[in-house]
Amino acid sequence: QVQLVESGGGLVQPGGSLRLSCAASGTILVINARRWYRQAPGKQRELVAGITSGGSTNYADAVKGRFIISRDHAKNMVYLQMNNLTPEDTAVYYCNVVGRAPWTTNTRDYWGQGTQVTVSS
């Protein structure tokens, strides 16, 4: 009932920038956090960045100083601005929302299908 759709991925040269977007629709949730994960071939999915409902952010060490996560409550959107990209950033990026239905106390994770980011010269 909750749909997350990522967009903004593509091919970019090293040193370039991309901005990923995640649009949420469907059943309304009480959201605890919005996060971006990524998974490269042969590697485990890893947390890239997160932002709480209060606006606190956290980043993986590999992207600190280069990536910025933000949100727009009115538009039900979360963004990931990626700067100074390197080939090591190549992965499928997934939007993740942690939340619950207003009438429950149980939180769960909701996932998008992912968007491919390829950093190559």
Side-chain angles (χ1 to χ4, degrees):
Q1 294 178 324
V2 175
Q3 301 285 340
L4 302 178
V5 180
E6 302 95 336
S7 62
L11 175 64
V12 64
Q13 293 188 339
S17 298
L18 287 173
R19 188 171 86 151
L20 305 183
S21 299
C22 175
S25 63
T27 303
I28 193 165
L29 298 174
V30 179
I31 297 174
N32 294 336
R34 300 167 175 84
R35 301 187 290 205
W36 287 95
Y37 285 76
R38 68 185 181 187
Q39 187 167 25
K43 295 185 178 181
Q44 293 184 316
R45 186 173 298 185
E46 63 175 344
L47 176 64
V48 176
I51 184 167
T52 69
S53 60
S56 298
T57 59
N58 64 282
Y59 299 91
D61 289 341
V63 307
K64 286 181 179 177
R66 299 189 297 120
F67 290 11
I68 302 171
I69 187 171
S70 62
R71 69 189 192 280
D72 187 328
H73 289 293
K75 297 180 179 179
N76 293 321
M77 299 285 289
V78 60
Y79 306 96
L80 184 68
Q81 178 67 46
M82 305 185 294
N83 301 315
N84 299 317
L85 288 161
T86 75
E88 287 69 40
D89 296 315
T90 296
V92 177
Y93 284 72
Y94 297 90
C95 180
N96 166 254
V97 173
V98 182
R100 62 174 177 86
W103 54 89
T104 74
T105 59
N106 303 121
T107 61
R108 61 161 291 175
D109 285 40
Y110 299 89
W111 295 89
Q113 290 185 295
T115 185
Q116 177 70 49
V117 172
T118 302
V119 185
S120 177
S121 60

